[in-house]
Amino acid sequence: MSQTYSISELAKALDVTPRAIRFYEEQGMLSPERRGQERVYSSRDLVALKLILRGKRIGFSLAECKELIDMYDPTGGNAKQLNRFLEKITERRGQLEQQMLDIQQMQLELDTAEERCRAAMERIP
Amino acid sequence: MSQTYSISELAKALDVTPRAIRFYEEQGMLSPERRGQERVYSSRDLVALKLILRGKRIGFSLAECKELIDMYDPTGGNAKQLNRFLEKITERRGQLEQQMLDIQQMQLELDTAEERCRAAMERIP
DNA sequence: CCTTACCTTTACGTTAACGTAAATCTGGCT
DNA sequence: AGCCAGATTTACGTTAACGTAAAGGTAAGG
């Protein structure tokens, strides 16, 4: 049988609060098992949570993260929904491309910022 | 003399609302001239605003964007502040690197999502 | 002079994404 | 049995980033 986690284990492992994890579940992004009252998380949940955090790091809203999670298992979607998925995928690809460009531009700006900073230090010493 | 813009011109050009632009000023990220009562934006403001929007697209908070803007002209900082700037620059570089990795990972996930989606469509036809 | 089209300030409202606190319930240890 | 650590639900609080609405100033056109 595969790995399972308590909420605090999962929280510690990925450095989030239990509250946040419960909140993500409330938003329909996680659906852990229950052993009595307690939540039991599988490696599938772990993956989903990682995806959420990764999304957040690049500025995705939770709603956007949820979209991605929902697309993770498209079995049980009709043709129309599947096409909708493909559209969304294409759209997201475009956004990611733009973000790449933005990051590269930011890196260039950091370069010039650093240069100016060092130049300013020359004039003080 | 160089280009200037009214608030609505600037807003239209960069596709933001005047309200947002005023808000950014309130937060100390823009400081347009005034012609009487009216705000007059220079190309410098245009650049700053572009930086803000670029930052937002990759998930920066306005406070983070402000940091970048403040570092844009380090003349008039003492040695301590300048060192602080250099630290922040290094830190941001790290974040940008991480974001790059996150984006690449997302792209891979979109790839598999698309595949599964197409596979699911095969089974429906 | 009146309207129209912008501009302004001020102030309150809204949404997302949790934080925080209180009350309760459990399993295991001593 | 009693206690503690960690789990749960419920509910209210908080912050960021604006949106929205009201009330008013101003310059150009008819």
Side-chain angles (χ1 to χ4, degrees), chain A residues 51 54-55 57-60 68 71-75 77-79 82-83 85-86 89 92-93 96-100 102-107 109-114 116-118 120-121 123-124, chain B residues 51 54-55 57-60 68 71-75 77-79 82-83 85-86 89 92-93 96-100 102-107 109-114 116-118 120-121 123-124:
Chain A
L51 194 151
R54 194 181 303 125
R57 282 196 298 271
I58 53 179
F60 284 21
L68 295 182
M71 291 189 301
Y72 213 83
D73 180 26
T75 29
N78 60 42
L82 292 175
N83 270 315
F85 279 2
L86 289 178
I89 290 175
R92 285 252 153 261
R93 280 219 181 87
L96 291 179
E97 293 291 344
Q98 178 61 51
Q99 288 188 298
M100 281 287 207
D102 287 329
I103 290 177
Q104 290 169 15
Q105 187 63 33
M106 281 285 183
Q107 287 174 330
E109 275 162 30
L110 286 185
D111 290 349
T112 78
E114 179 171 0
R116 290 187 187 188
C117 217
R118 297 201 182 284
M121 298 185 78
R123 286 191 298 275
I124 293 203
Chain B
L51 193 151
R54 194 180 304 125
R57 282 197 299 270
I58 53 180
F60 285 21
L68 296 181
M71 292 190 299
Y72 212 83
D73 180 25
T75 30
N78 58 43
L82 291 175
N83 270 316
F85 278 3
L86 288 178
I89 289 175
R92 280 249 155 267
R93 280 221 180 87
L96 291 179
E97 291 292 342
Q98 177 61 51
Q99 288 188 299
M100 282 283 209
D102 288 328
I103 290 177
Q104 290 169 15
Q105 187 63 34
M106 280 286 184
Q107 287 174 330
E109 274 161 31
L110 287 185
D111 290 349
T112 77
E114 178 171 0
R116 291 187 187 189
C117 217
R118 297 201 183 282
M121 296 185 79
R123 285 192 298 277
I124 292 202

